[in-house]
Amino acid sequence: MKIGVLGNKNKVKDEKTVAEIIGFLEEVGYQTVRFFTPSEIDGVDVLIVLGGDGAILHSAVIAARKNIKIIGINYGNLGFLTEYEKDERARIKELLSQLEKGNCRILKRSLLQVEVLGQTFYALNEIALQRDNGLHAKKSSQILRLQVDTREGSDVIAGDGLLFCTPTGSTAYSLSAGGAILTPEVPVYMMTPICAFSMRTRPIVFADCEEITVKIVRGKSIVLCDGVAIAQFPENTEIRIKKAPFTADFPVREGSDFFAKVRNKLNA
């Protein structure tokens, strides 16, 4: 089994830490590759990411599209997506051994696909459609109006914007905006309004086979995937959102407890 190691240089400033992990992996017989940026990720079976949730988000789409499994070691703040804390890093050998034997649970995290003006993007956490606040346009709209079309019907939602999140992303931006917590593998995704103008507008959960079209009715919308801005789009732009055709696969150690992680991480 070939292992890639990627360290977030902003979190892991001592290269000796990365060298230590590569060293004990090679001692037990694994071939390793050192990556310095997410764009380099290729040709390995497992990717070990040293950093926080941001480092995993920056790597997840690339790894998922190449069928590379992801294991995170937390060197950041929250570390909700990581499997180990930094003082547990040596235990990663146990998980890799179980993975080789086929005795390891693989948590398959769904991603969202967004198509807009002939371009396609992906997100592990969420896709955000946010109103322009005057920083990107000379005239800013106080309210963004978005028409949402689904097979269940159509509605126009006004406010600061909308979030479409995966179960993974339900504990991130969406949770802060009033969304529910979804367990990681439930086959759904959620639409969460951002500061909705109407009190009737509430988060809605859709089956992940649903394809949603959002049309910008009023204002200009900035579209972000996992917090990274794609572009700003004008009125009448249509944005199509659906489940991506691949998953991000995370090996999970024995005894992993989602609810304990929610308690420990979100109460911090």
Side-chain angles (χ1 to χ4, degrees):
M1 192 160 63
K2 197 171 182 180
I3 312 296
V5 180
L6 174 66
N8 181 343
K9 62 182 181 181
N10 294 321
K11 302 294 184 181
V12 187
K13 297 181 180 181
D14 188 352
E15 187 63 24
K16 292 181 181 179
T17 300
V18 180
E20 175 195 343
I21 292 173
I22 290 174
F24 68 61
L25 290 175
E26 292 182 344
E27 282 178 6
V28 293
Y30 295 114
Q31 184 180 356
T32 64
V33 180
R34 171 71 164 102
F35 298 126
F36 293 90
T37 64
S39 62
E40 298 173 348
I41 298 168
D42 197 15
V44 296
D45 303 296
V46 178
L47 175 69
I48 297 173
V49 180
L50 283 66
D53 291 332
I56 291 179
L57 289 174
H58 293 151
S59 308
V61 172
I62 296 171
R65 297 188 75 175
K66 297 180 178 181
N67 198 31
I68 298 171
K69 297 175 179 62
I70 305 164
I71 302 174
I73 302 176
N74 185 26
Y75 280 82
N77 296 318
L78 188 61
F80 203 88
L81 296 176
T82 59
E83 193 63 23
Y84 294 97
E85 298 300 318
K86 61 184 177 182
D87 58 354
E88 300 178 296
R89 56 184 179 268
R91 295 187 60 191
I92 203 166
K93 293 182 290 186
E94 303 167 15
L95 182 57
L96 291 171
S97 176
Q98 293 301 310
L99 181 61
E100 275 193 304
K101 295 174 183 176
N103 296 331
C104 171
R105 177 188 168 208
I106 306 295
L107 178 57
K108 293 185 173 294
R109 296 182 181 272
S110 62
L111 294 94
L112 289 177
Q113 174 177 311
V114 56
E115 299 172 356
V116 55
L117 298 181
Q119 301 179 80
T120 302
F121 304 92
Y122 301 95
L124 176 60
N125 263 359
E126 77 279 310
I127 295 163
L129 287 72
Q130 298 179 344
R131 72 177 178 88
D132 186 276
N133 55 13
L135 294 176
H136 298 83
K138 293 181 180 178
K139 293 183 179 180
S140 61
S141 174
Q142 294 301 312
I143 296 177
L144 180 64
R145 294 188 184 275
L146 301 170
Q147 179 177 315
V148 180
D149 293 310
T150 75
R151 61 184 176 185
E152 301 296 335
S154 178
D155 197 5
V156 174
I157 296 174
D160 281 358
L162 288 173
L163 298 171
F164 293 88
C165 77
T166 64
T168 297
S170 71
T171 52
Y173 189 0
S174 175
L175 184 63
S176 297
I181 293 177
L182 306 174
T183 54
E185 290 179 298
V186 63
V188 300
Y189 61 96
M190 181 164 53
M191 180 181 75
T192 306
I194 306 171
C195 297
F197 187 69
S198 171
M199 292 298 291
R200 70 169 175 81
T201 306
R202 291 290 182 268
I204 299 176
V205 176
F206 297 92
D208 65 9
C209 59
E210 181 92 36
E211 182 172 336
I212 294 176
T213 300
V214 180
K215 182 178 181 180
I216 303 170
V217 177
R218 177 187 173 188
K220 294 181 179 180
S221 177
I222 301 167
V223 178
L224 304 95
C225 289
D226 288 338
V228 178
I230 297 171
Q232 179 198 78
F233 297 99
E235 290 181 4
N236 298 316
T237 302
E238 289 192 350
I239 300 158
R240 293 181 174 83
I241 298 166
K242 62 182 179 181
K243 182 183 177 182
F246 51 84
T247 59
D249 296 347
F250 288 73
V252 178
R253 56 180 164 175
E254 186 177 355
S256 179
D257 186 332
F258 173 73
F259 293 105
K261 182 171 282 190
V262 169
R263 289 193 302 271
N264 295 334
K265 297 291 186 178
L266 299 186
N267 283 340

